[in-house]
Amino acid sequence: MSGEAPAPGPAEPTRRSGRIDTTRAHPARVYDLFLGGKDNYPADRAAAQAALDVDPRAYLTVRHNRDFLRRAVVHATAERGIRQFLDVGTGLPTQENVHQIAQRIAPESRVVYVDNDPVVLAHARALLATGPEGRTDYIEQDLREPAAILAEAARTIDFDRPVALVLAAVLHLVEGEQAHAVTAELVDALPSGSLVVLSHLTDDLNQERMANVTEEFKQRGFAIVRRTREEIGRFVTANGLELAEPGIVPVHHWRPDHAIDSAKAEAPEPDYLDGLEDIDKIKYLDIRDVTDADIGIYGLVAHKP
């Protein structure tokens, strides 16, 4: 997985998807709903609303996870000099995708996105939009197939140079030891100087509220595993990684910059908001009023020596 880097320019997305199943909720689409996205179906809206019914502030975990990702990518690019990103479980295109953040700082950055949702594939062109100096690619592949991911990513990424592996809110969809096995295989392919950006739902924070939310999702077929801080730490220690400060923390505590997000800046008039369903109001709500009682996910960045 080394050799001469390919010429700049977007690559064709892999196309393996069959029919999009609109009758069952999908994690990527529900996640996108909490971010204010529109690419969803009634089953996805029902799942998101069920989560809000048991925890009206559940959206803060999702939106602060996304904000953690923004800050982590800025750290990787601006402070660590990383110019290659492998984002596994990327989800639907939204504002401030990894390539937009990284290429704004370093236009030559290369980003490979990986997901297994056919809806994401349908919007892959938005993920492939890049400047003339950088390069993006999209792979339709499952996290449980790390060898296939690495083989296809090598079209764009030079694995002899540092890479930031992004595993944001995806490992809790993989049960048991398989989550550690696939992480180990991906990390093993990274050269020295690489980073791992990881976030994971936990059993430590706001246990009752998070249990209620994840139970609603499990009833809809999402195999969600909430791991403790110690169990999440094993993804670091077992792979010989070194934690960056401040370590494994609730995502809103990972190097916060308290930036206002664009959705709040563009909020419509109150009368318009009052007429929206709860799920549609989320994108306009200010996430800066967060408390520790609102968050149920840890974030970390770790360095490969």
Side-chain angles (χ1 to χ4, degrees):
M1 288 177 291
S2 62
E4 185 177 352
E12 285 293 323
T14 306
R15 296 186 177 275
R16 295 193 182 90
S17 292
R19 184 181 67 85
I20 295 171
D21 185 356
T22 63
T23 65
R24 297 181 60 186
H26 191 285
R29 300 194 299 262
V30 175
Y31 185 91
D32 184 62
L33 251 173
F34 281 118
L35 295 175
K38 298 180 180 179
D39 297 298
N40 52 75
Y41 300 95
D44 305 310
R45 293 181 66 85
Q49 187 60 57
L52 289 179
D53 288 344
V54 297
D55 181 4
R57 290 170 70 81
Y59 67 92
L60 285 165
T61 285
V62 175
R63 285 185 56 193
H64 273 282
N65 178 73
R66 189 72 187 187
D67 202 52
F68 156 73
L69 175 60
R70 172 185 62 82
R71 300 191 305 275
V73 172
V74 169
H75 167 74
T77 312
E79 300 180 35
R80 295 281 188 161
I82 299 290
R83 298 294 181 264
Q84 302 188 112
F85 295 82
L86 178 58
D87 183 358
V88 184
T90 181
L92 285 157
T94 185
Q95 290 186 348
E96 292 295 278
N97 296 292
V98 170
H99 74 280
Q100 294 167 314
I101 301 166
Q103 291 177 355
R104 184 165 55 243
I105 298 168
E108 71 275 19
S109 296
R110 296 177 174 222
V111 180
V112 173
Y113 294 104
V114 184
D115 209 292
N116 67 342
D117 180 9
V119 172
V120 180
L121 177 64
H123 293 270
R125 288 294 178 190
L127 289 170
L128 298 180
T130 186
E133 299 174 64
R135 183 175 171 88
T136 58
D137 194 6
Y138 174 78
I139 298 169
E140 188 192 6
Q141 213 29 279
D142 194 292
L143 172 61
R144 297 169 183 82
E145 300 293 338
I149 290 172
L150 292 168
E152 293 188 49
R155 298 190 308 239
T156 302
I157 288 177
D158 178 359
F159 282 94
D160 287 335
R161 296 165 48 220
V163 178
L165 171 64
V166 178
L167 297 168
V170 66
L171 286 171
H172 51 239
L173 300 175
V174 184
E175 296 181 289
E177 286 300 305
Q178 188 176 24
H180 292 281
V182 297
T183 302
E185 189 167 346
L186 290 171
V187 172
D188 186 59
L190 305 179
S192 175
S194 294
L195 293 181
V196 175
V197 176
L198 188 154
S199 61
H200 198 298
L201 290 174
T202 182
D203 219 17
D204 296 342
L205 306 172
N206 310 306
Q207 190 172 58
E208 182 177 354
R209 290 167 68 177
M210 290 303 301
N212 290 337
V213 170
T214 54
E215 180 59 31
E216 291 292 336
F217 288 154
K218 284 183 178 180
Q219 290 179 13
R220 289 160 173 80
F222 298 2
I224 294 179
V225 181
R226 290 178 293 131
R227 293 180 170 94
T228 65
R229 186 181 185 279
E230 181 179 2
E231 290 170 331
I232 295 167
R234 186 179 153 205
F235 290 110
V236 177
T237 56
N239 292 295
L241 303 173
E242 298 176 353
L243 279 171
E245 291 294 335
I248 304 171
V249 295
V251 287
H252 64 306
H253 288 312
W254 198 91
R255 305 191 181 194
D257 58 13
H258 308 291
I260 187 169
D261 51 357
S262 59
K264 177 64 178 178
E266 300 168 3
E269 294 298 319
D271 289 347
Y272 175 80
L273 279 177
D274 291 341
L276 296 177
E277 296 182 18
D278 289 345
I279 193 67
D280 296 315
K281 294 178 182 177
I282 285 175
K283 66 180 179 180
Y284 299 116
L285 300 178
D286 191 344
I287 65 173
R288 294 177 299 172
D289 69 341
V290 66
T291 70
D292 288 350
D294 295 319
I295 300 299
I297 190 166
Y298 282 123
L300 68 91
V301 173
H303 172 258
K304 184 170 182 178

